[in-house]
């Protein structure tokens, strides 16, 4: 679904080219990137790079791919990123977790492992994600080893690597090589998040991680992170031009590092309260931004990441539900290919909610049915039912109804549609309370996917050796 016509999209693209050529993008403290840009014909002045009009777009269209397969340990769980596919991945980056029993607290490695197990157990999630929450009980320079190991050990779905330092990306690549049994040059097994330092900057941390992943043929989500009014002008058209300029420069850089490197055009766009400065989520302007950026991505011919189920609410309540819906529906209508934060996001991203994870996953199941479209087969048209049903009688006993009743409609795992009396008899539970019982049952019933003992031992040895090589860093 496009909400702007070609003329308007062309104007935004032209504005982005003006930003690239006349304002420029900073590639900070990363000389290798500056050298590549000089060789490609860009104007480099210190850290600031200005690009001849059309250069970034030409580099991308010459070598980038419209879609790729991210391989999972279990081949049946591999996913297509791009084209007509949508991949749902869970929450990312929260330092806190929250559940009804224990309230809000700093996340631990146990929480991280729990969320990986839940994402593995929830069929609505196609991807294990990355930093589903920050295990703050592990030293900051070592926790990436435990996180990548958890994704490999407790799930066989695709996963994301670490991006908080170039050497942590290198560790992620080596652990993936061990898990997948050899060289990765012919297959992509990680899709990892590379955020711009908006406005109009790429920092050395992100560039170092992105460079390592691109060299190893592992995918990067090149994603400006913008709160309109703070990291970009307040209008959707201006935000879109800036995000496009930042993304074009980042994606083109990856293609200079390795032509054909798999990548995703990403955006994270939200508004902010002009009264308090606090981020706001589920706003109509953010939904418009998703639509516009998705259109721009399709015109460029690369996969697109955006959307999710965002909320500023501190609880899995009505505010969380409607704000999340106001993000999820534009995500689906715009045809987003990779949906990070699809489940579990709470408190503006500061917390992962256990109950919110379950409630969100339930809605992802509804979105899968919505995206499937209308069945226009003979069974879908159901003409036989009209000829076989007596006039004026209901269709409950019709052959067509009996043949289809089990699969005719999406059914929620969480919603209560019973009578008031039955609801009272069953404990008069809220949706959050039902979700609380569901995540506990999923963890109680969890069984890990198979992992070769020798591979597991090699992974654990690698983690132990790398941890022993460096002192703890707290921060």
């Amino acid at each position: 679904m496009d909400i702007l016509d070609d003329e308007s999209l062309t104007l935004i693209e032209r504005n982005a080219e003006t930003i690239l050529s006349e304002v420029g993008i900073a590639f900070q403290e990363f000389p290798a990137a500056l050298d590549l840009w000089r060789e490609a014909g860009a104007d480099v002045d210190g850290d600031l790079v200005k690009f001849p009009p059309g250069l970034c777009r030409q580099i991308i269209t010459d070598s980038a791919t419209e879609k790729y397969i991210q391989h999972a340990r279990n081949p049946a769980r591999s996913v297509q990123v791009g084209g007509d596919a949508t991949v749902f991945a869970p929450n990312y980056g929260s330092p806190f977790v929250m559940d009804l029993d224990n309230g809000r607290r700093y996340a631990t490695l146990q929480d991280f492992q729990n969320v990986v197990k839940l994402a593995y157990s929830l069929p609505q999630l196609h991807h294990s994600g990355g930093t589903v929450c920050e295990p703050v009980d592990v030293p900051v320079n070592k926790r990436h080893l435990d996180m990548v190991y958890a994704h490999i050990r407790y799930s066989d779905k695709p996963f994301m690597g670490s991006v908080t330092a170039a050497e942590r990306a290198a560790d992620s690549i080596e652990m993936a090589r061990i898990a997948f049994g050899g060289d990765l040059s012919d297959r992509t097994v990680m899709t990892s998040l590379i955020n711009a330092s908006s406005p109009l900057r790429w920092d050395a941390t992100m560039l170092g991680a992105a460079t390592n992943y691109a060299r190893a043929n592992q995918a990067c989500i090149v994603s400006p992170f913008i709160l309109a009014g703070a990291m970009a002008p307040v209008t959707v058209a201006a935000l879109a031009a800036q995000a496009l300029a930042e993304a074009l420069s980042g994606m083109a850089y990856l293609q200079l590092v390795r032509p054909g490197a798999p990548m995703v055009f990403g955006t994270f766009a939200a508004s902010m309260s002009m009264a308090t400065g606090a981020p706001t989520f589920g706003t109509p302007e953010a939904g418009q931004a998703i639509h516009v950026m998705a259109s721009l991505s399709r015109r460029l011919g690369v996969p697109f990441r955006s959307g999710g189920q965002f909320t500023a609410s501190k609880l899995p309540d009505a505010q969380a539900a409607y704000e999340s819906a106001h993000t999820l529906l534009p995500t689906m209508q715009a045809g987003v290919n990779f949906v990070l934060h699809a489940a579990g996001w709470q408190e503006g991203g500061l917390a992962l909610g256990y109950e919110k994870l379950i409630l969100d996953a339930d809605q992802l199941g509804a979105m899968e049915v919505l995206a499937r479209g209308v069945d226009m087969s003979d069974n879908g048209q159901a003409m036989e039912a009209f000829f076989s049903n007596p006039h004026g009688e209901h269709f409950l006993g019709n052959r067509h109804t009996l043949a289809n009743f089990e699969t005719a409609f999406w059914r929620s795992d969480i919603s209560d549609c019973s009578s008031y009396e039955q609801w009272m008899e069953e404990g008069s539970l809220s949706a959050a309370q039902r979700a609380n019982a569901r995540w506990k049952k999923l963890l109680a019933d969890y069984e890990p996917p198979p992992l070769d003992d020798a591979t597991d031992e090699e992974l654990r040895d690698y983690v132990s050796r790398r941890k022993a090589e460096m002192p703890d860093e707290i921060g």
Side-chain angles (χ1 to χ4, degrees):
M1 174 179 166
D2 295 305
I3 64 171
L4 288 182
D5 58 22
D6 287 343
E7 181 180 359
S8 298
L9 293 169
T10 299
L11 181 56
I12 290 174
E13 290 169 340
R14 189 180 308 136
N15 291 342
E17 291 292 348
T18 300
I19 293 170
L20 287 168
S21 62
E22 299 182 22
V23 181
I25 307 288
F27 283 70
Q28 295 183 311
E29 299 179 355
F30 204 76
L34 300 175
D35 291 342
L36 284 175
W37 280 121
R38 283 192 193 93
E39 294 172 13
D43 176 18
V44 179
D45 182 8
D47 285 343
L48 186 65
V49 182
K50 294 183 179 179
F51 312 83
L55 175 64
C56 291
R57 183 173 291 269
Q58 189 62 54
I59 291 170
I60 293 167
T61 56
D62 281 349
S63 60
T65 57
E66 184 179 353
K67 60 186 176 182
Y68 63 91
I69 300 298
Q70 183 181 349
H71 297 274
R73 279 204 306 114
N74 177 355
R77 298 189 186 275
S78 297
V79 295
Q80 175 184 304
V81 181
D84 62 353
T86 294
V87 175
F88 291 137
N91 183 76
Y92 188 104
S94 301
F96 299 100
V97 294
M98 182 269 177
D99 65 71
L100 296 186
D101 302 291
N102 300 299
R104 180 184 186 265
R105 61 196 184 280
Y106 278 108
T108 65
L109 183 58
Q110 181 65 62
D111 289 307
F112 188 96
Q113 294 167 348
N114 283 347
V115 177
V116 171
K117 292 174 183 179
L118 289 170
Y120 169 71
S121 302
L122 290 164
Q124 300 94 333
L125 288 168
H126 313 118
H127 203 282
S128 192
T131 307
V132 293
C133 60
E134 282 281 356
V136 299
D137 56 336
V138 181
V140 68
N141 60 323
K142 299 180 179 181
R143 64 182 63 155
H144 67 286
L145 297 163
D146 292 312
M147 290 190 285
V148 173
Y149 176 74
H151 282 298
I152 296 170
R153 181 64 189 91
Y154 299 116
S155 178
D156 60 6
K157 292 181 179 181
F159 64 95
M160 306 171 78
S162 176
V163 298
T164 52
E167 61 270 20
R168 295 170 196 169
D171 282 333
S172 302
I173 293 166
E174 179 59 19
M175 293 179 71
R177 186 199 64 75
I178 294 169
F180 284 82
D183 183 60
L184 302 176
S185 62
D186 63 339
R187 54 191 163 159
T188 297
V189 303
M190 286 183 288
T191 296
S192 301
L193 179 63
I194 305 296
N195 281 130
S197 297
S198 304
L200 305 177
R201 293 183 302 172
W202 293 99
D203 65 39
T205 297
M206 290 288 108
L207 290 170
T211 300
N212 281 345
Y213 282 125
R215 286 174 177 164
N217 195 41
Q218 302 308 298
C220 293
I221 303 172
V222 180
S223 192
F225 185 100
I226 296 177
L227 295 179
M231 288 98 98
V234 297
T235 61
V236 172
L239 180 155
Q242 177 185 316
L244 178 59
E246 292 175 349
L248 284 170
S249 67
M251 289 187 290
Y253 169 70
L254 292 182
Q255 297 308 303
L256 294 179
V257 172
R258 178 182 176 132
M263 62 187 188
V264 179
F265 177 174
T267 62
F268 179 99
S271 55
M272 61 183 293
S273 168
M274 292 287 100
T276 67
T280 53
F281 298 95
T283 62
E285 295 85 3
Q288 290 174 340
I290 292 172
H291 278 286
V292 173
M293 299 309 297
S295 298
L296 294 168
S297 178
R298 281 193 290 274
R299 287 160 66 93
L300 187 61
V302 293
F304 181 60
R305 169 257 162 157
S306 193
Q309 295 199 69
F310 298 141
T311 182
S313 180
K314 318 309 179 281
L315 294 168
D317 57 9
Q319 179 184 341
Y322 63 67
E323 289 180 346
S324 294
H326 290 171
T327 310
L328 185 58
L329 286 172
T331 297
M332 298 305 298
Q333 292 166 341
V336 175
N337 300 118
F338 193 99
V339 184
L340 194 56
H341 310 300
W345 171 289
Q346 199 168 295
E347 196 192 338
L350 288 175
L352 175 139
Y354 275 72
E355 289 80 23
K356 180 75 160 42
L357 180 73
I358 300 301
L359 293 165
D360 287 347
D362 189 57
Q363 291 306 297
L364 296 180
M367 294 302 102
E368 185 173 349
V369 175
L370 178 69
R372 200 180 298 157
V374 176
D375 177 12
M376 290 303 296
S377 67
D378 288 344
N379 183 68
Q381 295 177 62
M383 292 305 296
E384 183 273 336
F386 292 106
F387 287 102
S388 61
N389 209 70
H391 282 74
E393 292 192 11
H394 60 66
F395 284 85
L396 291 175
N398 190 278
R399 289 194 303 271
H400 183 270
T401 303
L402 296 175
N404 288 276
F405 78 96
E406 289 185 324
T407 59
F409 307 117
W410 170 76
R411 286 181 286 186
S412 170
D413 291 331
I414 298 298
S415 297
D416 183 278
C417 300
S418 62
S419 68
Y420 179 83
E421 290 75 17
Q422 183 178 346
W423 174 72
M424 288 290 290
E425 289 176 5
E426 293 175 354
S428 58
L429 300 178
S430 68
Q433 290 171 321
R434 292 191 292 272
N436 177 272
R438 176 124 173 91
W439 70 255
K440 291 175 180 176
K441 185 175 190 309
L442 287 173
L443 287 180
D445 294 346
Y446 168 82
E447 295 183 7
L451 178 64
D452 177 73
D453 288 342
T455 299
D456 189 33
E457 183 177 358
E458 188 176 357
L459 283 166
R460 287 186 284 107
D461 286 347
Y462 182 85
V463 170
S464 297
R465 176 162 43 86
R466 287 290 291 126
K467 285 186 174 183
E469 291 172 354
M470 48 187 159
D472 291 354
E473 291 181 11
I474 307 298

